[in-house]
Amino acid sequence: MWFRHGDKKEKKKAQNKKNRFQQELFQWLRLKRAEEQRVKDIEKAQHPKAVERAPDEVNDKVAVIRNRLTGQKRVSRERWNRFAGTSGGGGRGL
């Protein structure tokens, strides 16, 4: 918005209108997030058998290894690509 020199009242009125809109929008988003969290908490309480994994088990960098003899999958003990680009295994004593 461009104002002529001396239109301070109009400029202030426009800025107050903009601030009021942004404040209402922020409050609406905050209430919406609180409602979504409340719904999630209720659903979680209704289904107690839903087991959450520990944070260390959810890591994307953990490789899944298939046993060649049995064909079963298991999670590796260390992260994949952990020592990439280092000669000699990156100080693992290799």
Side-chain angles (χ1 to χ4, degrees), residues 11 17 24 28 32 35 42 44 47 53-54 59 77 86 91-92:
K11 188 175 181 180
K17 184 178 179 181
E24 289 175 5
W28 178 79
K32 184 178 177 187
E35 177 65 20
I42 290 172
K44 193 175 184 179
H47 303 289
R53 291 182 171 189
N59 191 351
R77 290 190 187 98
T86 57
R92 290 189 293 165

Side-chain angles (χ1 to χ4, degrees), residues 6-82:
D7 288 338
K8 288 185 178 181
K9 288 183 181 180
E10 291 179 20
K11 188 175 181 180
K12 188 171 184 175
K13 186 177 179 180
Q15 186 65 41
N16 285 341
K17 184 178 179 181
K18 181 180 175 184
N19 290 347
R20 194 176 324 117
F21 171 77
Q22 289 179 347
Q23 185 178 15
E24 289 175 5
L25 181 64
F26 175 77
Q27 288 176 351
W28 178 79
L29 287 172
R30 185 177 51 82
L31 292 173
K32 184 178 177 187
R33 288 182 188 142
E35 177 65 20
E36 289 174 354
Q37 184 64 39
R38 187 182 68 81
V39 169
K40 284 182 184 179
D41 291 343
I42 290 172
E43 289 177 356
K44 193 175 184 179
Q46 289 176 351
H47 303 289
K49 292 185 179 181
V51 178
E52 291 186 19
R53 291 182 171 189
D56 57 347
E57 295 176 0
V58 182
N59 191 351
D60 294 334
K61 293 285 186 176
V62 175
V64 175
I65 301 172
R66 183 180 295 275
N67 188 333
R68 291 183 183 172
L69 299 176
T70 61
Q72 295 179 343
K73 290 184 179 180
R74 67 173 176 86
V75 177
S76 69
R77 290 190 187 98
E78 70 178 25
R79 294 165 49 135
W80 64 273
N81 208 16
R82 184 173 176 192

